């Protein structure tokens, strides 16, 4: 099945892809938010998030992350006193 043609003079829609991440505390309350382009790697987002968490909530000592985050985030967390698992 082919796509319908748009009428002449109709502008094309442009959609910019964004990615977001937000760490939460034990109660589910958001601690920090980072919004980036979709092309930014999980590691770069993780490092930014840890920087924001340390700046705004210095009492955080542990962070659980999914498998998309590699050693770079764990090392950055350890330097800032956060145990990243």
């Amino acid at each position: 099945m082919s796509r319908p043609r748009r009428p002449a003079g109709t502008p094309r829609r442009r959609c910019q892809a964004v990615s977001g991440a937000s760490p939460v505390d034990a109660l589910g309350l958001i601690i920090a938010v980072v919004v980036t382009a979709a092309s930014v790697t999980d590691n770069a987002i993780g490092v930014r998030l840890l920087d924001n968490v340390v700046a705004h909530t210095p009492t955080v000592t542990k962070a659980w992350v999914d498998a998309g985050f590699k050693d770079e985030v764990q090392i950055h967390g350890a330097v800032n006193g956060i145990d990243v698992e």
Side-chain angles (χ1 to χ4, degrees):
M1 183 176 216
S2 64
R3 294 171 55 185
R5 294 185 170 233
R6 17 180 211 101
T10 305
R12 292 181 187 246
R13 292 182 186 168
R14 291 190 176 211
C15 179
Q16 303 230 346
V18 295
S19 178
S22 56
V24 295
D25 65 6
L27 298 175
L29 301 174
I30 295 175
I31 297 172
V33 175
V34 172
V35 178
T36 64
S39 61
V40 177
T41 65
D42 284 347
N43 286 324
I45 293 171
V47 168
R48 280 185 180 173
L49 281 172
L50 286 175
D51 288 340
N52 286 346
V53 168
V54 169
H56 298 290
T57 316
T59 57
V60 171
T61 58
K62 182 169 285 295
W64 290 282
V65 298
D66 66 5
F69 295 97
K70 305 295 181 198
D71 292 336
E72 183 179 343
V73 175
Q74 291 177 340
I75 293 168
H76 191 72
V79 168
N80 287 303
I82 299 175
D83 179 26
V84 179
E85 291 183 11

